[in-house]
């Protein structure tokens, strides 16, 4: 299927789901998903439409504001449309917006009016000659609902504007004040506490409750709930009455309507980002909920000249804080074997930002959980962070499920991904465990490998010494060896003062290993010494490998589906991530690969027989150091077959068939030593 056809199918499904969400959220006042998840879907739709502009249609959710008015209230047409705002999610998108503005109307000293983005129900208050006349909800931006009687019950909405000499002109003619109906967090908490004491169901969140309350047909019910109104704009028939948004805020406050006191006039994107960072960290201190900032060109004349694109003004954007939830597509489900032998399925997906950080995988816990949530490879899922730390799959969006979505079956996948292991599921337990693998056995084998000559090559960390350290509970993971002290080791049966001192010294010498040795030493399944070198040369830094994607891994020569899945499974394991964090804290981290290449770059070698001058491992290391590839068996791509003593004719004949050059040890030494 072509990229355009794929985009067309995806756009169709996204529009349908977003439209359904908008109808429930804005018209029926029901929430079928979080606003953060809906924003993520809308952002994906906007990006697809930008990539394929010919697929944009007038009825796309990206081209309209909200929903239709509820029946039961009189419908009122807005004198001036209540526009929505386009969202930006990072500094790059904010810079791009500023560049578009400057291209249309260049200004040397631009002023931005920045306000908190309230999470409530947008509403317009109409005053005639200073007297409250009508309240209209946003509706679809053109037509809203007349909720005058309900809004009159909100004490923060004045029935008359304050008589002030400075702004006396606003008491004559039509004055419209726009803002947000909301409920303070403390009031919401007290209301829910009261309902809990009475055994009544609890309300979901302040925003939904505010919107639902204002649409009640009984004003007495509305009056019983502590709603508030906070304004963010004022309109007059004569635009010259309000030349800037900064003055608008001052006028509204002076006339007796609540506004945000945190507004700022800022002169650059950098200052806006600093302001955003401040309030993203401190928003919990506010009495009400916010989900970002509103950024406008302060000069309202310039703001109007910039015009409208679609249903949003060019002169303003909404900067959304890091979403606590987001949507992404499951690319694969891999299985991680933890330090106790438990098999844990992990969803691997397109990178997505959740709560301020990029996540690429999330634990699915066990087979029962996958079945309960019906997670399939290819599904679009909602991701959140439990406790703002651990990524979790909240739920699947079945409306976006493609026809090729693949059901995950735990037992067949265990056999496919781990054919050499046997797994058992103990009665009354949800987890599958690798048969015969205990926590100590896994750790002992891992530590032996980590300290081996091909890995970190730690002298004194042989099989028996490793077993002694593990049995004594001095090490719980690989990183713990770097916390060992001489006195601790001396207390063990196999060690004396000199041997303990030598071991501590040997460990301290490998705190900055080469990247390839470190990768190999971690014992990632299917990652041998050569693959570790290939990964090191490709990614250069360990952090780059840790953040790699499934598709990126598969592009590396020698890394196929099984190896890629194994790497992703290793990095998705929580214990491994904790261990890596411990390595960092202890100052143990691999060197960055400064350059890739050498005189053997691109050349592949196989060694057969016994070499007199060096062991096979040493020869392999020399080949890799010079940029070559050491292979364990002959293939059609092998460039050289190095022959030592006691070589049979079979390999030489196969090399000749493959046009592989056969050289002896003397010729090999000339190549590597020249």
């Amino acid at each position: 299927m072509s990229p355009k056809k794929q985009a067309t199918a995806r756009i169709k499904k996204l529009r349908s789901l977003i439209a359904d969400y908008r109808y429930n959220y804005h018209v029926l006042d029901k929430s079928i998903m979080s606003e953060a998840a809906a924003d993520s879907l809308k952002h994906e739709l906007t990006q697809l439409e930008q990539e394929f502009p010919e697929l944009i249609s007038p009825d796309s959710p990206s081209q309209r504001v909200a929903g239709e008015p509820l029946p039961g209230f009189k419908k009122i047409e807005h004198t001036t449309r209540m526009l929505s705002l386009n969202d930006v999610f990072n500094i790059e998108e904010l810079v791009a917006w500023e560049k578009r503005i400057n291209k249309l109307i260049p200004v040397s000293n631009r002023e931005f009016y920045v306000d908190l983005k309230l999470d409530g129900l947008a509403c317009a208050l109409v005053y005639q000659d200073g007297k409250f006349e009508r309240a209209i909800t946003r509706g679809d931006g053109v037509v809203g609902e007349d909720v005058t009687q309900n809004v009159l019950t909100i004490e923060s909405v004045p029935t008359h504007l304050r008589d002030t000499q400075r702004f006396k002109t606003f008491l004559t003619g039509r004055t419209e004040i726009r803002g947000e109906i909301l409920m303070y967090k403390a009031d919401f908490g007290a209301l829910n506490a009261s309902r809990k004491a009475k055994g009544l169901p609890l309300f979901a969140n302040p925003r939904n409750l505010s919107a639902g309350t204002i649409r009640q047909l009984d004003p007495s019910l509305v009056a019983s709930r502590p709603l508030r109104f906070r304004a963010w704009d004022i309109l007059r028939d004569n635009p010259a009455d309000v030349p800037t948004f900064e003055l608008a805020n001052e006028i509204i406050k002076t006339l007796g309507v609540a506004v945000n006191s945190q507004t700022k006039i800022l002169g650059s994107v950098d200052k806006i980002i600093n302001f955003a960072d401040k309030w993203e960290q401190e928003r919990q201190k506010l009495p009400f909920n916010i989900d970002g900032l509103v950024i406008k060109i302060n000069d309202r004349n310039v703001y109007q000249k910039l015009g409208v694109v679609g249903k949003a003004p060019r002169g303003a954007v909404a900067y959304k804080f890091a979403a606590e939830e987001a949507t992404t597509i499951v690319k694969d489900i891999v299985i991680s074997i933890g330090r106790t032998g438990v098999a844990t399925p992990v969803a691997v997906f397109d990178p997505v930002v959740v709560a301020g950080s990029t996540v690429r995988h999330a634990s699915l816990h066990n087979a029962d959980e996958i079945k309960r949530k019906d997670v399939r490879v290819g599904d679009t899922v909602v991701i959140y962070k439990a406790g703002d730390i651990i990524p979790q799959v909240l739920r699947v969006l079945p409306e976006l499920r493609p026809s090729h979505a693949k059901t995950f079956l735990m037992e067949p996948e265990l056999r496919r991904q781990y054919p050499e292991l046997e797994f058992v599921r103990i009665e009354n337990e949800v987890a599958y465990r690798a048969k015969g693998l205990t926590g100590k056995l896994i750790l002992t084998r891992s530590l032996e490998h980590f300290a081996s000559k091909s890995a970190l090559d730690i002298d004194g960390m042989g099989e028996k010494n490793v077993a002694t350290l593990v049995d004594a509970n001095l090490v719980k993971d690989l990183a713990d060896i770097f916390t060992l002290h001489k006195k601790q080791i001396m207390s063990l049966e196999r060690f004396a003062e000199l041997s303990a001192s030598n071991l501590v010294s040997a460990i301290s010498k490998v705190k900055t290993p080469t990247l390839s040795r470190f990768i190999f030493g971690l014992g990632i399944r299917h990652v041998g010494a050569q693959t570790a070198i290939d990964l090191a040369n490709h990614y250069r830094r360990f952090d780059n490998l840790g953040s790699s994607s499934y598709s990126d891994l598969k592009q590396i020569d020698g890394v196929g589906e099984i190896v890629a899945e194994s790497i992703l499974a290793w990095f998705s394991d929580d214990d491994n991530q904790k261990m890596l964090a411990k390595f960092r804290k202890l100052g143990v981290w691999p060197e960055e690969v400064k350059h890739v290449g050498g005189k053997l770059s691109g050349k592949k070698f196989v060694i057969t027989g016994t070499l007199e001058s060096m062991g096979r491992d040493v020869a392999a290391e020399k080949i890799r150091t010079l940029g070559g590839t050491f292979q364990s068996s002959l293939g059609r791509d092998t460039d050289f077959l190095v022959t030592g003593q006691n070589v049979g004719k079979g390999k030489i004949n196969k090399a000749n068939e493959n046009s592989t050059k056969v050289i002896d040890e003397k010729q090999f030494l000339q190549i590597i030593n020249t």
Side-chain angles (χ1 to χ4, degrees):
M1 187 183 292
S2 68
K4 184 175 179 180
K5 284 186 177 180
Q6 288 180 334
T8 301
R10 182 72 176 174
I11 284 172
K12 184 179 179 181
K13 289 185 175 183
L14 285 169
R15 286 175 179 170
S16 176
L17 183 57
I18 293 169
D20 189 45
Y21 162 78
R22 283 181 172 273
Y23 175 76
N24 279 274
Y25 188 77
H26 293 289
V27 179
L28 302 182
D29 206 33
K30 294 179 181 178
S31 183
I32 62 172
M33 71 178 76
S34 71
E35 189 171 0
D39 283 342
S40 183
L41 292 176
K42 182 182 174 184
H43 192 55
E44 180 186 352
L45 173 63
T46 302
Q47 288 182 319
L48 281 173
E49 288 180 342
Q50 288 176 351
E51 187 177 355
F52 300 96
E54 66 272 23
L55 298 181
I56 298 175
S57 64
D59 61 345
S60 172
S62 65
Q63 304 299 304
R64 57 193 299 257
V65 180
E68 301 171 0
L70 275 174
F73 290 100
K74 183 180 178 182
K75 297 174 183 178
I76 302 290
E77 186 173 348
H78 290 288
T79 304
T80 303
R81 280 190 302 168
M82 288 191 77
L83 300 170
S84 63
L85 299 176
N86 286 328
D87 295 333
V88 295
F89 292 85
N90 51 54
I91 187 171
E92 290 80 14
E93 293 180 351
L94 189 59
V95 168
W97 170 70
E98 183 192 31
K99 286 181 179 178
R100 289 195 297 271
I101 290 170
N102 287 336
K103 188 175 181 180
L104 292 169
I105 304 180
V107 174
S108 56
N109 296 312
R110 179 85 68 192
E111 280 189 346
F112 297 99
Y113 175 80
V114 186
D115 195 0
L116 304 181
K117 187 177 181 298
L118 301 168
D119 191 17
L121 175 72
C123 190
L125 310 181
V126 179
Y127 289 84
Q128 186 63 41
D129 296 331
K131 182 180 179 181
F132 176 74
E133 184 178 75
R134 181 173 292 151
I136 313 166
T137 63
R138 182 197 298 274
D140 65 0
V142 177
V143 177
E145 305 154 350
D146 187 339
V147 289
T148 304
Q149 294 305 310
N150 286 347
V151 171
L152 271 173
T153 68
I154 302 174
E155 291 188 10
S156 59
V157 174
T159 55
H160 291 80
L161 298 177
R162 288 179 69 245
D163 191 352
T164 163
Q165 188 62 38
R166 183 183 176 190
F167 300 119
K168 201 170 187 65
T169 183
F170 291 87
L171 302 179
T172 302
R174 187 180 188 278
T175 298
E176 181 174 334
I177 296 176
R178 292 179 172 180
E180 217 85 5
I181 295 172
L182 47 79
M183 187 176 292
Y184 280 13
K185 290 182 284 189
D187 294 333
F188 177 77
L191 189 58
N192 258 349
S194 174
R195 290 179 68 83
K196 184 178 181 180
K198 297 174 183 176
L200 298 173
L202 303 184
F203 294 118
N205 56 65
R207 194 270 167 203
N208 283 3
L209 178 57
S210 300
T213 299
I214 212 66
R215 290 189 173 104
Q216 294 291 325
L217 295 176
D218 182 4
S220 63
L221 175 62
V222 181
S224 70
R225 294 178 181 171
L227 297 178
R228 301 170 188 258
F229 181 85
R230 295 180 77 85
W232 36 255
D233 199 8
I234 186 168
L235 303 178
R236 291 280 291 175
D237 292 336
N238 181 9
D241 289 347
V242 192
T244 67
F245 283 103
E246 182 183 26
L247 181 61
N249 188 268
E250 185 180 353
I251 293 170
I252 295 167
K253 184 177 180 181
T254 305
L255 293 175
V257 183
V259 294
N260 293 331
S261 61
Q262 298 84 5
T263 58
K264 279 275 188 180
I265 298 296
L266 299 172
S268 70
V269 168
D270 286 341
K271 290 181 179 179
I272 294 173
I273 292 297
N274 289 337
F275 188 73
D277 289 343
K278 165 185 164 63
W279 283 110
E280 188 165 12
Q281 297 297 320
E282 298 183 12
R283 56 176 159 168
Q284 298 302 328
K285 298 178 182 178
L286 294 168
F288 45 79
N289 288 327
I290 63 172
D291 57 3
L293 303 178
V294 174
I295 304 160
K296 301 177 181 177
I297 301 301
N298 189 37
D299 188 323
R300 290 170 74 112
N301 183 42
V302 174
Y303 178 89
Q304 292 298 329
K305 285 182 178 179
L306 285 167
V308 174
V309 54
K311 295 284 186 175
R314 282 196 179 93
V317 288
Y319 181 92
K320 301 299 285 284
F321 289 151
E324 295 174 359
E325 295 180 6
T327 58
T328 188
I329 299 172
V330 177
K331 294 296 186 182
D332 196 5
I333 297 177
V334 299
I335 299 174
S336 169
I337 306 298
R339 62 184 180 187
T340 62
V342 171
T344 303
V346 177
V348 178
F349 39 75
D350 289 335
V352 61
V353 177
V354 184
S357 63
T358 301
V359 296
R360 294 169 172 82
H361 43 70
S363 173
L364 294 172
H365 304 294
N366 53 64
D368 290 354
E369 185 74 357
I370 294 177
K371 185 176 180 180
R372 184 180 71 80
K373 292 181 177 177
D374 191 20
V375 182
R376 306 180 190 181
V377 177
D379 272 342
T380 300
V381 293
V382 178
I383 303 296
Y384 76 106
K385 278 194 175 181
D388 287 335
I389 299 173
I390 304 170
Q392 304 279 353
V393 173
L394 178 63
R395 67 187 184 91
V396 172
L397 298 177
E399 304 92 333
L400 298 179
R401 175 170 288 157
S403 58
H404 62 269
K406 181 183 175 183
T407 302
F408 180 87
L409 299 174
M410 189 72 171
E411 292 187 3
E413 280 299 312
L414 283 170
R415 289 193 292 270
R416 185 183 74 83
Q417 295 188 33
Y418 294 90
E420 77 280 12
L421 296 177
E422 183 181 349
F423 292 86
V424 293
R425 184 173 183 176
I426 300 172
E427 190 176 355
N428 298 324
E429 284 193 12
V430 296
Y432 285 83
R433 295 177 183 272
K435 192 174 181 179
L437 287 184
T438 63
K440 281 196 173 182
L441 179 58
I442 293 173
L443 177 57
T444 301
R445 289 180 181 176
S446 299
L447 197 50
E448 287 175 11
H449 177 77
F450 188 68
S452 67
K453 287 189 177 296
S454 298
L456 269 67
D457 192 14
I458 304 175
D459 192 30
M461 288 282 286
E463 180 181 343
K464 292 182 179 179
N465 283 352
V466 166
T468 300
L469 293 170
V470 172
D471 289 339
N473 292 318
L474 289 183
V475 290
K476 301 288 188 351
D477 58 31
L478 304 182
D480 279 344
I481 65 171
F482 294 93
T483 67
L484 293 173
H485 299 293
K486 180 179 173 181
K487 288 185 178 180
Q488 286 178 305
I489 301 172
M490 283 178 59
S491 67
L492 302 179
E493 186 178 338
R494 291 182 53 82
F495 291 91
E497 182 176 358
L498 181 59
S499 57
S501 179
N502 288 342
L503 180 57
V504 171
S505 176
I507 292 171
S508 68
K509 290 177 182 178
V510 297
K511 294 186 74 172
T512 54
T514 62
L515 180 55
S516 60
R517 282 178 173 270
F518 186 74
I519 293 171
F520 177 64
L522 292 175
I524 302 172
R525 192 162 159 272
H526 300 307
V527 176
Q530 184 59 53
T531 302
I533 290 171
D534 294 338
L535 291 169
N537 289 341
H538 179 82
Y539 288 107
R540 305 291 186 92
R541 296 173 63 247
F542 186 77
D543 287 333
N544 295 339
L545 173 61
S547 61
S548 60
S549 67
Y550 180 75
S551 57
D552 185 29
L553 283 166
K554 286 188 66 178
Q555 291 176 9
I556 301 171
D557 187 31
V559 177
E561 178 183 354
I562 293 175
V563 178
E565 285 182 336
S566 181
I567 293 169
L568 292 171
W570 194 92
F571 279 100
S572 65
D573 186 89
D574 289 340
D575 288 334
N576 291 336
Q577 288 297 326
K578 290 174 184 175
M579 181 178 70
L580 292 176
K582 191 185 294 185
F583 272 129
R584 282 188 187 275
K585 189 175 181 180
L586 294 170
V588 180
W589 208 247
E591 297 174 335
E592 180 178 343
V593 177
K594 300 298 183 183
H595 63 85
V596 178
K599 63 181 181 180
L600 300 186
S601 180
K603 301 300 181 182
K604 298 177 180 179
F605 292 77
V606 169
I607 297 175
T608 184
T610 304
L611 301 180
E612 290 184 349
S613 59
M614 67 188 77
R616 186 175 301 205
D617 288 344
V618 175
E621 184 69 17
K622 286 183 176 294
I623 291 169
R624 291 166 180 151
T625 302
L626 295 172
T629 300
F630 175 75
Q631 296 178 317
S632 58
S633 60
L634 273 168
R636 293 187 179 277
D637 60 344
T638 305
D639 296 292
F640 295 96
L641 174 65
V642 182
T643 59
Q645 296 179 352
N646 304 319
V647 178
K649 292 183 178 180
K651 283 194 175 180
I652 295 177
N653 291 337
K654 187 176 180 180
N656 291 330
E657 290 174 7
N658 293 340
S659 299
T660 298
K661 187 173 183 179
V662 181
I663 60 176
D664 58 22
E665 184 174 354
K666 183 178 179 181
Q667 291 171 304
F668 172 66
L669 292 174
Q670 287 176 341
I671 291 174
I672 63 175
N673 293 327
T674 301

